[in-house]
Amino acid sequence: MTPAEPMTPAEKEVADLCVELIRVDSSNYGDGSGPGERAAAEVVMSRLAEVGIEATYVESEPGRGNVVTRIEGTDPSLPALLVHGHLDVVPANADDWSVDPFAGEVRDGYIWGRGAVDMKDMDAMMLAVLRQIKREGRRPRRDLVFAWVADEEAGGVYGAKYLTAHHPELFEGVTEAISEVGGYSLEVDPSLRLYLIETAQKGLAWMKLIADGTAGHGSMLNDDNAVTEVAKAVARIGEHDWPLTYTPTVRRFLTEVADAFGIPFDEENPQPILDKIGPLVRFVGATLRHTTNPTQLGAGYKSNVIPGQATAVVDGRFLPGFEDDFFKTVDGLLGPKVRREFIHHDIALETSFDGALVESMIAALKEEDPAARAIPYCMSGGTDNKTFFADLGVRGFGFVPLRLPADMDFAAMFHGVDERVPVDALQFGVRVLDRLLLNY
C-alpha cells in the first residue's frame, strides 16, 4: 500500500480560510441594506498581506469592497488569466437551518454555512493556492489576476460592473477567466466521474408587460379592459410550449452523458439522459429550450373600478445564438394591445470547449482523479463571467474543481438551506487549481 502524500500548505489551511470567510456575514439583500463586503474583503487583504502579497482594494460604495491582485508570470508574451470569486452571499433565515448559517461549523467532514458553495469555497481556494505559491517562491508562466468582488448576487453593479467600467487597467492583458459554477463531479461509477465545466450561459430578459385600456365603472360594459388584455398575454406566454433547441454546448453535453451511461441520445426525447444526472438536472434542465415564466401581476386600486392600465412581469431566459427567435416569438404572443419593456436584459454567451486552457483544466483534473472526464455544459442562470468580464473580451469558464460524494445533492446547496461543502473536496480543489495555475 502506497503511503498517502503529505498535505500541502494550501490543503492544510483551505478549510480554515473557508470557515473564516463564512463567519463574516456578507449577505446581499439587493436593496443596499446588507452589511456589504468590506469585512470579507478585509479578511482577504489580511491573509494576502501575511505572505507579502500587495493587493488593490476598491470600494464602489461605502462598504462594498473588492480586492484585486496580480502575480507576474515568467513569460510576458502570454496573455493573463483571471481567477475571480464573489464575496457576497444570499441571505439565510437561521430558523430554517440545522446550524447557525454564519458559524462556519465543521461537522461530519463538511463545512456548513451560507456561502459554503456559493462561493466562499472558491474564495478560500484562491487564497490558499495564492498563499502557497507566494510562500514557495514559485511563479506561473503567465500573469494571474485574482479578484474577489462584491455584489454578484444582485447583479454585480458594485462589483464586476464597477471594476470593469472604472478600473479596466486592473485586467490589462486578460483574455480568459475561471470562476463559478462548474468543475464539480458527477459520479457515473467508481471508474468514471464526469466533471462539468461551464462554457455557456443563457441570456436574461426580465420583461414588464403593459396594457392600456379604458378606465371605467366595474358595473358597465367595457371591451377595452387592460386587465383582460394583460391576463390573456400572460396566459399565452406562460403556457407556450417552447420547442427543444440544441446549442453546440448542450448537444455535446447530452452526447457525453449518454456515452458515459451507455444509453442512446434520442433528440426527440432527451429525458432518459436527464434522468441519469439526478438532482443536477436543476442546473441544466432548462438549457434545452427558452423559458418564459410570469412572476408578477399589477392592476387597479378598487374592486369596482376598471383600471386604465395593467402590468405583468415575465422572467425570460433565451439560449445562446437564438435571441432573435426568442423575442420574435414573445412579441407574437403579446397580442396587439400589449407592449413590453425591459426591466433587465443581459446577453447569452457560449464559448467552445477547446483551446490550451481547456486542455490544462482537463490535465489538472486527471492528474488528481484518473477517473475524471471533463465535459462542457450550459447554465440556465448567469455569473460575472458573462455579465461584465465578457465586455472586456474575456473568454470565461465555470471551473471550481470539487470531487463530490456520489450521493451529494450539490445543486440543492446553491442558495439552499443547510448549504455545505466537503472538506476533502476543497483539498482536492486546491490541488487541481495549483496544477492548473502553475502549468497553464
Side-chain angles (χ1 to χ4, degrees):
M1 180 176 179
T2 304
E5 291 288 330
M7 284 203 298
T8 64
E11 289 177 84
K12 291 177 181 177
E13 70 176 14
V14 65
D16 288 341
L17 291 169
C18 186
V19 166
E20 184 177 17
L21 287 168
I22 288 172
R23 288 176 176 171
V24 178
D25 183 355
S26 53
S27 298
N28 189 343
Y29 294 91
D31 58 3
S33 64
E37 299 83 4
R38 177 189 293 170
E42 288 173 346
V43 170
V44 173
M45 293 285 287
S46 174
R47 296 294 168 249
L48 293 177
E50 281 180 353
V51 295
I53 297 175
E54 296 183 0
T56 300
Y57 177 72
V58 178
E59 277 202 354
S60 50
E61 291 287 341
R64 310 311 299 269
N66 301 270
V67 180
V68 183
T69 191
R70 180 184 290 256
I71 303 299
E72 290 189 359
T74 58
D75 187 347
S77 69
L78 294 174
L81 174 68
L82 171 64
V83 187
H84 62 98
H86 61 83
L87 291 169
D88 61 323
V89 298
V90 295
N93 183 358
D95 292 340
D96 296 333
W97 284 57
S98 302
V99 300
D100 180 344
F102 297 103
E105 182 174 330
V106 181
R107 179 199 295 182
D108 301 326
Y110 286 77
I111 300 171
W112 297 59
R114 177 57 84 219
V117 300
D118 190 13
M119 61 174 299
K120 290 180 175 178
D121 57 343
M122 181 60 163
D123 294 332
M125 289 158 61
M126 291 162 57
L127 266 178
V129 170
L130 186 50
R131 282 161 59 91
Q132 178 171 287
I133 290 172
K134 179 66 174 179
R135 282 170 168 157
E136 296 177 351
R138 295 181 295 158
R139 291 181 63 189
R141 295 177 61 235
R142 67 190 66 236
D143 283 11
L144 301 176
V145 179
F146 287 76
W148 292 263
V149 303
D151 198 38
E152 192 275 343
E153 296 292 2
V157 172
Y158 301 110
K161 182 177 183 179
Y162 184 87
L163 291 174
T164 53
H166 297 279
H167 296 280
E169 72 282 357
L170 295 173
F171 309 102
E172 183 70 29
V174 170
T175 60
E176 296 171 309
I178 59 172
S179 187
E180 61 177 347
V181 176
Y184 51 88
S185 67
L186 167 65
E187 186 163 313
V188 177
D189 59 51
S191 67
L192 177 59
R193 273 173 291 278
L194 303 179
Y195 285 83
L196 280 62
I197 297 176
E198 180 261 299
T199 60
Q201 299 179 17
K202 291 179 79 173
L204 172 65
W206 289 345
M207 298 171 286
K208 184 177 183 179
L209 312 187
I210 306 165
D212 295 309
T214 301
H217 200 287
S219 67
M220 298 179 182
L221 296 175
N222 188 320
D223 58 3
D224 188 28
N225 189 311
V227 175
T228 302
E229 294 302 325
V230 157
K232 289 190 291 186
V234 166
R236 286 191 295 266
I237 290 172
E239 293 173 354
H240 182 68
D241 186 14
W242 292 99
L244 290 169
T245 303
Y246 296 109
T247 65
T249 295
V250 171
R251 182 179 297 277
R252 179 160 179 183
F253 170 80
L254 293 171
T255 300
E256 294 272 11
V257 173
D259 177 72
F261 284 96
I263 61 175
F265 172 22
D266 179 357
E267 291 193 10
E268 299 299 320
N269 180 26
Q271 193 58 47
I273 300 175
L274 297 177
D275 290 342
K276 289 293 184 181
I277 65 175
L280 289 181
V281 73
R282 288 196 286 270
F283 280 147
V284 300
T287 63
L288 279 66
R289 50 171 53 87
H290 303 306
T291 58
T292 41
N293 287 308
T295 57
Q296 293 178 276
L297 292 168
Y301 58 90
K302 198 171 185 292
S303 57
N304 64 345
V305 177
I306 299 170
Q309 187 176 88
T311 64
V313 174
V314 173
D315 182 333
R317 312 284 174 136
F318 52 89
L319 296 167
F322 295 90
E323 182 172 355
D324 291 344
D325 163 75
F326 173 81
F327 286 115
K328 180 179 179 181
T329 301
V330 168
D331 289 343
L333 294 169
L334 289 176
K337 294 185 178 182
V338 180
R339 66 186 188 277
R340 63 174 172 85
E341 296 176 354
F342 284 127
I343 298 172
H344 185 61
H345 178 211
D346 195 9
I347 62 170
L349 200 64
E350 183 169 33
T351 190
S352 56
F353 192 60
D354 57 17
L357 177 55
V358 170
E359 292 171 2
S360 294
M361 288 190 285
I362 293 171
L365 284 168
K366 289 190 74 66
E367 283 289 332
E368 293 300 329
D369 182 3
R373 183 197 294 182
I375 64 173
Y377 86 103
C378 177
M379 272 188 67
S380 57
T383 72
D384 283 338
N385 256 344
K386 176 184 73 173
T387 311
F388 305 113
F389 292 118
D391 291 342
L392 297 181
V394 176
R395 183 184 183 210
F397 296 86
F399 188 69
V400 178
L402 298 170
R403 178 174 167 175
L404 301 170
D407 59 352
M408 183 179 181
D409 186 353
F410 187 59
M413 298 296 102
F414 285 79
H415 299 189
V417 172
D418 288 342
E419 182 180 351
R420 57 198 181 275
V421 65
V423 171
D424 60 6
L426 296 183
Q427 294 167 342
F428 172 86
V430 295
R431 295 196 302 270
V432 173
L433 284 178
D434 185 86
R435 289 183 182 277
L436 171 65
L437 300 180
L438 269 295
N439 295 328
Y440 173 50

